[in-house]
Amino acid sequence: MAKPNGRRPASSFFASKLLRNVYAIQPRQTAPVGRNRPCRRQGVGLDDATGSGPTPKRNQAAAPNWLAYFCPGLRLLMPAHDALSFLMAWTVAPFRIGSVTPSSSSLAALMTSDIGPETGPVLELGPGTGPFTRALLSRGVREEDLTLIESDPDFAALLMRRFPAARIFEMDAVGLRHLSLFPRPVAGAAISGLPFRLISPNKTPAILEGVFANLRPGGALYQFTLGRRCPFDQSLLDRLDLEVARVGHTFRNFPPATVYRVARIKTLGTYDWRFA
């Protein structure tokens, strides 16, 4: 929560400072444009996995070995830098981040199992450090076809450096309801890492409406939840004419997660007197 003078609290300041030291993120510069803007600032490349730019040596030296020492299993599931950044972000805003660790490669593979080059443009909500984004690229989705919506400024800056060809918007996903990301609904799929169990019930309908306003007919939203219960109430799905199907479950994530596919209810394309 911001202070009356408009500054972020001290805990948020120190967490952001530590995150920038780990990733060598340069201080953010405010551009004279609107808030909901694509992040296309230039900076030092960070990602040693995607090769998006040279990685300073201090990135390797700053790796949090203490995390691998206390939780050795996490090192097999995710990069140490990403685990540290999620932990620090969670300490600042636990209800916005929703998890103390980023999603594992197993969950990322399950989330993107139905997506490929033929899907076309893909919309991703709450990409964080980009585990699902990397999985989409490995499935053959072009980086130019990715549109990432991230509300955390530090994660948005990190994503811009890791995926420079993608469109990255630093904004709340609720704003999708009043923002046209494409000239027409062309996205073939949407991937969501948002913790809907922790999001206000008043915001959830607006987010879903904004997502499906950008999806073409036949497009679907893939959402995971930490547990087995669908994060969307049936009453909400009925009101928005949506249906949900369970894709799968993985124990190779901390905590274990379940993936659901949300799509529009198919309607009859021709008149049939039996349903009149």
Side-chain angles (χ1 to χ4, degrees):
M1 179 179 299
K3 290 184 177 181
N5 58 8
R7 299 180 180 178
R8 291 197 295 178
S11 57
S12 176
F13 171 78
F14 288 113
S16 299
K17 187 173 181 180
L18 177 58
L19 179 59
R20 291 192 179 103
N21 288 336
V22 172
Y23 286 104
I25 296 177
Q26 301 298 326
R28 298 177 65 243
Q29 297 180 358
T30 303
V33 293
R35 181 178 179 181
N36 297 342
R37 62 188 185 276
C39 299
R40 292 192 178 279
R41 299 181 296 273
Q42 297 297 323
V44 180
L46 298 175
D47 193 18
D48 54 352
T50 60
S52 59
T55 303
K57 291 183 178 180
R58 72 167 180 169
N59 277 10
Q60 301 174 359
N65 294 326
W66 59 268
L67 187 64
Y69 177 81
F70 288 104
C71 304
L74 293 180
R75 193 167 187 175
L76 302 177
L77 298 177
M78 64 200 68
H81 288 195
D82 291 358
L84 176 62
S85 66
F86 251 77
L87 179 61
M88 295 306 301
W90 179 83
T91 58
V92 175
F95 292 101
R96 186 181 65 184
I97 302 301
S99 176
V100 296
T101 60
S103 300
S104 67
S105 58
S106 177
L107 177 57
L110 185 60
M111 284 281 286
T112 59
S113 58
D114 295 339
I115 301 176
E118 69 284 353
T119 305
V122 177
L123 175 65
E124 183 176 359
L125 309 181
T129 57
F132 296 160
T133 313
R134 287 190 292 267
L136 289 170
L137 296 176
S138 66
R139 294 281 183 184
V141 178
R142 298 189 311 165
E143 187 172 327
E144 296 81 3
D145 287 336
L146 296 177
T147 299
L148 313 180
I149 308 297
E150 176 57 56
S151 62
D152 186 90
D154 295 317
F155 283 157
L158 175 62
L159 292 168
M160 183 275 299
R161 290 166 171 80
R162 286 188 169 181
F163 311 104
R167 293 199 307 165
I168 301 173
F169 290 84
E170 182 189 325
M171 58 176 289
D172 194 318
V174 177
L176 291 176
R177 188 178 184 181
H178 307 288
L179 178 66
S180 297
L181 298 176
F182 309 96
R184 62 184 185 279
V186 296
I191 298 291
S192 172
L194 299 179
F196 277 100
R197 287 293 181 189
L198 302 178
I199 294 178
S200 170
N202 298 327
K203 294 183 177 181
T204 300
I207 296 176
L208 292 179
E209 290 176 359
V211 168
F212 282 93
N214 289 280
L215 292 181
R216 65 174 181 258
L221 166 67
Y222 295 87
Q223 173 70 46
F224 81 92
T225 183
L226 303 178
R228 293 183 176 273
R229 182 183 174 187
C230 178
F232 306 115
D233 294 335
Q234 187 62 46
S235 59
L236 174 60
L237 297 173
D238 294 340
R239 178 155 58 93
L240 300 179
D241 293 329
L242 301 175
E243 60 183 1
V244 64
R246 185 176 181 270
V247 176
H249 181 82
T250 177
F251 288 100
R252 300 184 62 183
N253 189 73
F254 182 78
T258 305
V259 176
Y260 289 91
R261 180 182 186 272
V262 184
R264 297 184 181 93
I265 296 178
K266 296 181 180 180
T267 58
L268 294 177
T270 57
Y271 176 80
D272 193 326
W273 62 268
R274 292 173 298 177
F275 299 97

